[in-house]
Structure formats: structure tokens, C-alpha cells
Amino acid sequence: MDLSYILNHLGEDRETYHGAVSPPVYQTSNFAFPNVAAMRNALPHEQEVPFYTRGLNPTTGILCQKLAALEGTDDALVFGSGIAAVSAAVISQLKAGDHVVCVQKPYGWAEKLFNQLLGRFGVTVTYVPAPDTDGIEAAIQPNTRMLYLESPNSITFELVDLEAACAIAKPRGIVTVIDNSYATPLGQQPAKWGVDIVVHSASKYFGGHSDVVAGVVCSSKAIIKQIFDHEFMNLGGIVSPHTSSLLLRSLRTLPIRFERSTKSALQVAEYLHNHPKVKQLIYPGHPSHPQYALAQKQMGDCGGLFSILLDVQDVAEVERFADRLQRFLMAVSWGGHESLALPVCALAESTARLRPDLPWNLVRIYIGLEDPEVLIADLEQALQGLK
Ligand SMILES: *Cc1c(COP(=O)(O)O)cnc(C)c1O
């Protein structure tokens, strides 16, 4: 199925809504039936037949079809946030006593899910550096049930060799889950390499305008049905029909937004790579990345998110740099129209107690849709005269 068909036509049954080009927002909680038999027949098919909006809402249903097709999986479910999608996918595959092998430095709330929430239910976890395929294999225990991946992670951008990781997991019956928010399906389709469950924060590139929070799980028919029947309906972390409508609108322009963001990011990254005040650029899309060859193999375009390590003497200089930026908003998240800067020193309790897990001189940069020359000029004035 071609990308243009998926984004412009798939799932849209325009005849049923007066030829409207943009699907209506079915702003309803409830769906009524003409008689007892019709209601009785619909009830066992809540995933396919609109019955109650916590199950299937038709606006959200269109979105699910498009997202599954984008990832190249059978089916998808949309949630009220990325972490709701992560949590539902993970919980659906685990029980008390199970063990998880997880890449180091996953998204913070995913780490908390494993360490704290699932810890209370007797699930244990081992963290392994993402590039260390042998380490992943060595961490497997008799009770390992899941391999949880982010490739790359969204702050230091280490990659997992997806083909090799799946080759370790598959024969042992270990389920593989990946958070693919960084690359989007335009940059990477993990199901192609054998990953079982692909999750996304739709708050990033899918939403694309920093105005929605939502999440996605893509997988086989059987796994999606299992998640629908339990975690989706039971935990109830659904998205509103209005948010689904915003996401449908955003998906129409995903390819041009992602392409522009990638192209500008390459230009800005090249500038930063050559700057004397930048000690290191960390961007899988740049030849200086230690896993560039792997990135070229399993990812295409890498989008607009990367990090730099500043060549400065102390945290005060990092703060000076970040505070001087005019065209980058200081904020978390990414994938929107606006460029962002996130110094990790802003995530620490204080400058006296910096985070031990991340370099103090790291600034994460997201390149949005602005003119890259304007962004480079802004970085230039902020880098000038740093000690
Ligand atoms: C933002 C993000 C999430 C969480 O998504 P929300 O929509 O904020 O809940 C999960 N994983 C990654 C990699 C993210 O960047």
C-alpha cells in the first residue's frame, strides 16, 4: 500500500458521511441500536462495531487503520498518551515472576513502569546498553518474557541492532517491544525486522503541532485483540474523538514535516559538528555517530532530534548558552513545528546535584520547521564567547 493512499484515503468511507473530505468527529459516547437482536449481535464485536466510545469510536477507528498500515502491522490501537500505550503493551505481556531485558536509558516513565509499578507486582528487569547485542543475550534468564527496546533512545541515541535482537528473542519465545517514537514509521519499520509490538508517543511527530497528547500500539491481529479485550478496555486510557481528528489532520502532512525536519537537522548538525565549542554531536543521521552504518541499514531519515556535548568548563556556561537562545524554546517533547533546546542540567535537582546517568554538558536539540539558516545564526550567537 503506498504512503499517499494510506494518508489520504485508507479507512475513509466518505459515502457514509455525505462525501465530507475530512472525516467527521463522532463526538458521542454512545451508539444506539434499532432492536434487541442488533444490540446482541454487536456486543461480542466491540473492537469492530461502534458500541461505546471506550471501545471503538469511528473517528479513532480511521486513525487506527492508517497507523497500522504505516507501521506495516495488522492492526493498531490509539491511547490517550504515549505512556498509556507503552504501559498497556508492556502489561499485556507480563505476569508476576516474569523478567524483562530493557535497553539502558529508555524513556523515563517507561523505566519507572519497570522499576516501580511492575516491581510491585513481582516483575524484575535488567538494563543492558543498547549497542551490546551479546550483553542482551547474556542478560536473558529462564523467566525472561520480554525484550523492551528503544532504538535509538531519545537523549543519547544508542541504537539496537533490531535484526540481531529479534534473532535472540524469537527462538526463546521472548516478546519484543519497541518504542519507535524517534524514527516514526517513515524512518524505521521495526515489524520488518521481526519486532512484535511497536509503540509510539503520538504527541511527537504524529501530532506534529505540539497540541495533542496521544499514543499508539501497533501489532498483529491476535496481540491487538488481546490488548483490546484487557488493558485497553479495562484501564480505559482512550483518546478523545476530537484528538483523533486532529491526528488525522496531522498525518496528512507527516511526510513533508518529517522530511523538512530531517533535512534542516542535517544542516544544523553539520554546523554544530564543526563548531569549536561543541565537543561531540550525537545524531544517528550524521556520519560521526558510532553506529552510523547500523542507522543506515535499519533507519532511513532520522528526523530532527539530536544532542550536543558542549566544550565548556562548567554548568554555568551550559546555562548561559541555553538562556541566550532566542529561536529555540526551552521545553521537553519534540516533533512539533517549533525548534527546542533541552539542557539536561535543567532536569537535575540543582547544579550541585547533577544527574549521574547523563553528561552534565549535554543539550538536546530539536529542529522544527523554521528556516535552518535562522536557527544556525541563533546557535552561533549563543555559542559565541563561551568559556
Ligand atoms: C514523549 C515520549 C513518550 C511518552 O509519550 P506521552 O505522549 O508524553 O505520554 C514515550 N516515549 C518516548 C520516546 C517519548 O519521547
Side-chain angles (χ1 to χ4, degrees):
M1 210 182 303
D2 67 275
L3 187 58
S4 299
Y5 180 77
I6 295 170
L7 298 180
N8 294 290
H9 303 294
L10 178 67
E12 299 183 56
D13 192 2
R14 297 189 170 108
E15 276 175 28
T16 63
Y17 35 79
H18 311 285
V21 170
S22 175
V25 183
Y26 283 92
Q27 191 66 50
T28 182
S29 60
N30 228 352
F31 299 87
F33 293 88
N35 53 51
V36 172
M39 189 171 190
R40 185 184 291 135
N41 290 339
L43 186 58
H45 306 288
E46 261 196 279
Q47 197 189 337
E48 297 88 33
V49 180
F51 194 92
Y52 183 61
T53 277
R54 178 155 44 77
L56 173 65
N57 177 280
T59 310
T60 307
I62 298 169
L63 185 59
C64 290
Q65 289 186 52
K66 289 185 192 289
L67 292 166
L70 283 173
E71 273 299 358
T73 59
D74 297 342
D75 211 347
L77 288 169
V78 179
F79 291 78
S81 71
I83 201 62
V86 168
S87 299
V90 165
I91 291 169
S92 75
Q93 303 300 311
L94 296 175
K95 61 181 187 320
D98 284 345
H99 173 254
V100 177
V101 175
C102 179
V103 292
Q104 276 178 1
K105 287 177 277 178
Y107 180 69
W109 287 100
E111 196 168 3
K112 258 196 185 153
L113 172 70
F114 291 123
N115 291 350
Q116 297 184 18
L117 197 150
L118 287 175
R120 293 202 337 253
F121 296 90
V123 172
T124 53
V125 57
T126 304
Y127 294 97
V128 180
D132 185 3
T133 304
D134 293 340
I136 290 174
E137 186 157 20
I140 290 171
Q141 303 174 7
N143 59 337
T144 302
R145 174 71 192 117
M146 175 181 292
L147 186 50
Y148 186 87
L149 310 172
E150 271 181 36
S151 182
N153 70 35
S154 59
I155 187 114
T156 49
F157 310 107
E158 288 96 3
L159 272 63
V160 177
D161 183 330
L162 297 182
E163 193 176 16
C166 290
I168 293 167
K170 275 268 143 62
R172 295 172 167 88
I174 295 170
V175 66
T176 43
V177 181
I178 189 168
D179 183 333
N180 199 33
S181 306
Y182 177 85
T184 84
L186 301 185
Q188 173 170 279
Q189 289 179 306
K192 259 195 351 207
W193 303 104
V195 176
D196 298 307
I197 305 179
V198 183
V199 297
H200 282 276
S201 168
S203 322
K204 312 293 162 53
Y205 272 115
F206 287 160
H209 300 74
S210 303
D211 54 5
V212 302
V213 174
V216 186
V217 177
C218 299
S219 190
S220 65
K221 272 257 173 292
I223 289 178
I224 291 295
K225 171 139 180 51
Q226 181 197 357
I227 296 175
F228 180 86
D229 286 345
H230 300 282
E231 290 72 22
F232 188 79
M233 289 301 283
N234 246 156
L235 299 177
I238 64 159
V239 72
S240 78
H242 179 63
T243 297
S244 292
S245 169
L246 287 171
L247 282 166
L248 282 170
R249 186 171 75 162
S250 294
L251 283 185
R252 314 275 195 207
T253 58
L254 175 66
I256 55 172
R257 288 186 286 104
F258 190 70
E259 188 186 323
R260 164 84 179 194
S261 179
T262 299
K263 192 160 169 259
S264 300
L266 278 165
Q267 191 180 336
V268 177
E270 181 62 21
Y271 156 79
L272 288 167
H273 177 66
N274 293 320
H275 198 284
K277 280 289 152 198
V278 176
K279 191 178 274 174
Q280 195 188 336
L281 167 75
I282 313 175
Y283 181 40
H286 192 268
S288 62
H289 191 280
Q291 295 174 288
Y292 182 67
L294 180 60
Q296 293 288 296
K297 176 193 160 193
Q298 64 189 28
M299 294 170 80
D301 284 353
C302 289
L305 193 69
F306 58 80
S307 289
I308 52 172
L309 304 186
L310 288 173
D311 193 4
V312 293
Q313 299 309 310
D314 54 39
V315 183
E317 289 301 287
V318 179
E319 286 190 31
R320 211 148 79 93
F321 165 73
D323 288 345
R324 271 193 202 160
L325 290 169
Q326 303 287 310
R327 298 301 187 104
F328 291 78
L329 301 179
M330 199 182 301
V332 296
S333 196
W334 45 272
H337 54 90
E338 75 292 7
S339 291
L340 304 169
L342 178 67
V344 300
C345 64
L347 303 176
E349 235 173 81
S350 73
T351 50
R353 291 193 52 180
L354 294 167
R355 286 177 55 147
D357 55 331
L358 294 170
W360 59 270
N361 56 344
L362 187 148
V363 181
R364 190 177 77 175
I365 308 261
Y366 168 69
I367 303 299
L369 304 181
E370 304 93 331
D371 181 346
E373 295 292 350
V374 168
L375 299 174
I376 288 172
D378 190 36
L379 289 162
E380 179 65 29
Q381 64 78 26
L383 286 166
Q384 226 151 54
L386 286 185
K387 289 201 286 279

